Amino acid sequence: MPEGDSVWRAAARLHAALAGREITRSDLRVPRLATVDLTGRTTLNVTPRGKHLLTRIDGDGGLTLHSHLRMDGAWHVFPAGRKWHGGPDYEIRAVLGTATDTAVGYRLPVLELLRTADEDKVVGHLGPDLLGPDWDAAKAAANLLAAPERPLGEALLDQRNLAGIGNVYMCELCFLAQVTPWTPVGALRDPEVTAVRLAGAAKRLLAANLGTGETRNTTGSRRRGQSLFVYGRAPRACLRCGTPVRRVVKDDRPTYWCPRCQSGPTP
């Protein structure tokens, strides 16, 4: 599942291609939007909200094309006339074109058109956005602490607590906190302080990776294969202690941890 930084970069690419330009081609390939024609309208902006993308369009009091990438959705931008690539044609769910560029959405599991005034219906449940103007570390920490019996990894992934963390950052944050992802939030050492520190660390990690493409770095190392502390490293050695990193998969979601550096319960 894309992390908040990936969605932020996707929004930036779409905004650069579409914002302020007239839509000259519109093709929304989901049944309930099949008859919608957005040609002649102007894209106002493309804004990320956690892992959601909000493409705002003028007319009718303001419209928003809401999309979510989930596991393998993607938006690609191509210069006008350039051949598209990103998957077979039958996986295309949306096409928005201007005189200069075309944005093509592949495998989008969520695509809906709503009034901009009604955006809260699809993103109003989200917690503070790690990369948004509404970021509030204290609020995010309070959300994490609201269910002290909940496993930390699960709480970090819950977008209602703080929006933007995916599996990679969840594993890395738990490593930095020196606890396993299955450790109850209330069992953290000094939970109130730790929750605030984790929220701050999450913000710094995502912000630091906005310009690095899909190769994330949480360690600060530029050595090949050492950009992440635990995610994707099993069964290689932990960068800190040398113990083999462990991995478990549940519901197609892999979780990584170091059995020596991270204390707490394990599956």
Side-chain angles (χ1 to χ4, degrees):
M1 180 176 290
E3 314 271 332
D5 53 356
S6 298
V7 177
W8 189 95
R9 286 191 293 272
R13 290 193 299 269
L14 290 170
H15 183 86
L18 302 175
R21 295 179 172 87
E22 180 182 338
I23 298 172
T24 58
R25 178 173 183 176
S26 167
D27 187 3
L28 304 179
R29 303 181 185 179
V30 296
R32 66 178 176 275
L33 300 180
T35 61
V36 171
D37 184 6
L38 299 174
T39 57
R41 300 175 186 265
T42 299
T43 302
L44 303 176
N45 58 71
V46 182
T47 300
R49 181 71 174 88
K51 298 182 181 182
H52 300 252
L53 285 165
L54 304 172
T55 301
R56 296 176 178 134
I57 301 165
D58 71 352
D60 297 329
L63 297 173
T64 295
L65 186 65
H66 166 234
S67 58
H68 195 296
L69 306 181
R70 290 194 180 163
M71 292 300 292
D72 61 349
W75 278 97
H76 297 284
V77 175
F78 306 97
R82 182 77 58 85
K83 184 178 180 180
W84 303 345
H85 55 86
D89 286 351
Y90 67 80
E91 291 185 343
I92 295 173
R93 297 292 177 267
V95 179
L96 293 177
T98 70
T100 57
D101 296 284
T102 303
V104 184
Y106 289 86
R107 301 173 300 279
L108 301 175
V110 175
L111 187 69
E112 56 186 332
L113 189 67
L114 63 152
R115 294 189 181 278
T116 300
D118 294 332
E119 284 180 357
D120 270 0
K121 292 181 179 179
V122 293
V123 296
H125 65 287
L126 298 176
D129 188 340
L130 283 153
L131 297 174
D134 69 319
W135 173 244
D136 184 334
K139 174 61 175 174
N143 290 344
L144 291 172
L145 293 165
E149 74 287 349
R150 197 174 191 188
L152 176 60
E154 184 180 304
L156 288 171
L157 289 172
D158 190 336
Q159 303 300 295
R160 295 170 298 181
N161 289 336
L162 63 172
I165 292 179
N167 221 37
V168 176
Y169 288 115
M170 180 275 287
C171 292
E172 296 294 287
L173 286 165
C174 287
F175 177 84
L176 293 173
Q178 299 183 342
V179 296
T180 67
W182 302 276
T183 302
V185 173
L188 296 172
R189 179 181 299 177
D190 202 342
E192 290 77 13
V193 173
T194 300
V196 172
R197 288 176 177 172
L198 276 171
K203 165 73 170 178
R204 289 192 298 275
L205 288 180
L206 266 71
N209 281 279
L210 288 182
T212 61
E214 295 304 315
T215 303
R216 297 183 178 88
N217 191 307
T218 60
T219 66
S221 174
R222 295 187 178 183
R223 293 185 178 182
R224 185 176 179 180
Q226 296 189 7
S227 60
L228 299 173
F229 285 109
V230 290
Y231 192 88
R233 289 195 60 82
R236 290 177 292 164
C238 170
L239 295 179
R240 181 174 290 168
C241 73
T243 302
V245 171
R246 296 190 62 186
R247 173 181 182 264
V248 66
V249 178
K250 182 179 180 181
D251 298 328
D252 295 324
R253 186 192 299 276
T255 300
Y256 298 84
W257 77 100
C258 172
R260 182 173 181 181
C261 292
Q262 294 172 254
S263 62
T266 58

